[in-house]
Amino acid sequence: MNLNRLAYFAAVVDAGSFTRAAERLGITKAVVSQQVARLERDVGTTLLIRTTRRVHPTEAGRTFHARCLQVLQQAEDAFDELAQAAAEPTGTLRIAASNDYGTSAVVPVVAAFSARYPACRVELTLGDETIDLVSGHIDVAIRIGWLADSSLQARRIGTFQQFMVCGAGFAGRFTAGEPQDLAGLPFVANMALREPLLWQFSRGDDEQSVRMQATISIDATPAVLAAVRAGAGLSVLPDFLVRDELAAGRLVQVLPEWRLPSGGIYTVYPAARFRPPKVTSFVEMLIAAVQKVGSSGEGRAL
């Protein structure tokens, strides 16, 4: 199938005449008429009814015209995507991320991105409040946990585990055989979460729901980590934040045989048909970093 013939046919239907279609396409009327005639011969169906004053599509022509528009749009999109993929990232890339994941995982990728693409400037906004991407002129947000439905476009690029942890010194002050034993212990509540006190533990087919009693409440995840490390009590923190602390022995995982719900790592964008090279290149680097962590057994990437 000659895609040019689809374009000629669509132009004739849209313009209502071969003459106006030829003017729009910048070619002669004879070429347009010849190519449309060949298209009708190829499909074995009359697509246009020609009169002295105007050209009208037949019923089959109207259906075919709608399909042609879809095909031509997809072809145009494909060329646009290739052109953008070949372009070098430039301008200012505006990113938003949470304090904890942004500091531990996004900042290193931003540094690598800036070194690779020096013509592109990066503005990274860190905070546990959800930023409106459109009014904030944010190109991409990295969000952690469980997304609420919205008009934004999102892609899950990885997952993380949650661990009940405490400071190494605090661990010797209690014994626990199952999650219910934790309910009365000192707990540092992370108020950045929607439900900071109720936790669902699972071990095989066994599930236990435990409501902790907050002795300290903090609204920033890195500060929760600092409080736990100082011996303030238990808390639930993501694996990417406590990985090094656990390896160094500064923190201890409580009831490691029990699992807490895992969460997602998402890239979130304002609604748009195409992403500029600065966005796609950064996201590719971020996904590679997430997958590298996952392949080392310290996290899981999709």
Side-chain angles (χ1 to χ4, degrees):
M1 180 63 67
N2 187 327
L3 289 182
N4 283 334
R5 292 174 185 166
L6 301 185
Y8 297 156
F9 166 71
V12 172
V13 174
D14 293 339
S17 79
F18 284 92
T19 300
R20 286 194 292 270
E23 292 173 352
R24 180 182 300 178
L25 295 169
I27 57 178
T28 65
K29 175 183 175 182
V31 170
V32 176
S33 179
Q34 181 185 63
Q35 292 301 313
V36 171
R38 290 181 178 177
L39 176 63
E40 290 180 313
R41 186 169 65 247
D42 290 341
V43 299
T45 302
T46 299
L47 300 174
L48 298 172
I49 298 174
R50 300 158 176 83
T51 67
T52 56
R53 300 185 63 181
R54 190 169 176 84
V55 178
H56 301 275
T58 63
E59 183 177 350
R62 286 193 295 271
T63 302
F64 190 66
H65 174 256
R67 294 291 189 179
C68 285
L69 294 180
Q70 293 176 7
V71 171
L72 294 170
Q73 185 62 62
Q74 289 175 358
E76 182 180 345
D77 290 349
F79 280 108
D80 287 345
E81 289 176 354
L82 284 174
Q84 291 199 19
E88 189 80 1
T90 57
T92 300
L93 174 63
R94 295 178 175 86
I95 308 167
S98 62
N99 273 313
D100 52 356
Y101 193 75
T103 301
S104 63
V106 178
V107 167
V109 179
V110 167
F113 177 86
S114 295
R116 183 179 299 182
Y117 303 111
C120 191
R121 181 170 173 265
V122 179
E123 293 181 1
L124 175 61
T125 301
L126 298 180
D128 291 327
E129 295 294 327
T130 300
I131 297 177
D132 181 86
L133 303 192
V134 177
S135 62
H137 304 289
I138 301 297
D139 295 303
V140 57
I142 316 304
R143 293 184 177 168
I144 303 299
W146 300 265
L147 291 184
D149 292 336
S150 72
S151 61
L152 302 175
Q153 298 175 348
R155 175 185 178 185
R156 189 165 76 162
I157 63 172
T159 61
F160 65 92
Q161 296 296 321
Q162 299 185 104
F163 297 149
M164 179 72 76
V165 297
C166 67
F170 187 86
R173 294 165 50 184
F174 69 94
T175 57
E178 59 182 42
Q180 293 294 343
D181 297 334
L182 306 176
L185 296 175
F187 185 77
V188 182
N190 186 352
M191 303 310 292
L193 302 176
R194 280 179 285 182
E195 181 52 79
L197 297 177
L198 184 62
W199 295 98
Q200 189 73 29
F201 292 81
S202 63
R203 183 179 62 182
D205 296 331
D206 191 4
E207 293 188 355
Q208 293 188 26
S209 181
V210 179
R211 180 170 291 277
M212 306 298 292
Q213 301 297 317
T215 52
I216 299 176
S217 298
I218 303 177
D219 64 355
T221 307
V224 173
L225 170 61
V228 172
R229 194 167 48 202
L234 310 174
S235 194
V236 175
L237 290 166
D239 57 2
F240 56 81
L241 197 61
V242 301
R243 187 181 301 124
D244 293 341
E245 303 288 335
L246 292 170
R250 291 186 291 268
L251 294 184
V252 174
Q253 185 178 355
V254 179
L255 300 180
E257 67 276 15
W258 290 83
R259 292 176 64 88
L260 290 163
S262 59
I265 303 169
Y266 299 88
T267 53
V268 183
Y269 318 88
R273 283 175 56 199
F274 299 110
R275 306 288 166 213
K278 61 184 179 181
V279 174
T280 55
S281 297
F282 172 78
V283 170
E284 287 172 2
M285 293 180 66
L286 179 63
I287 291 173
V290 172
Q291 291 176 340
K292 183 177 180 180
V293 172
S295 64
S296 68
E298 296 172 325
R300 294 190 297 126
L302 299 182

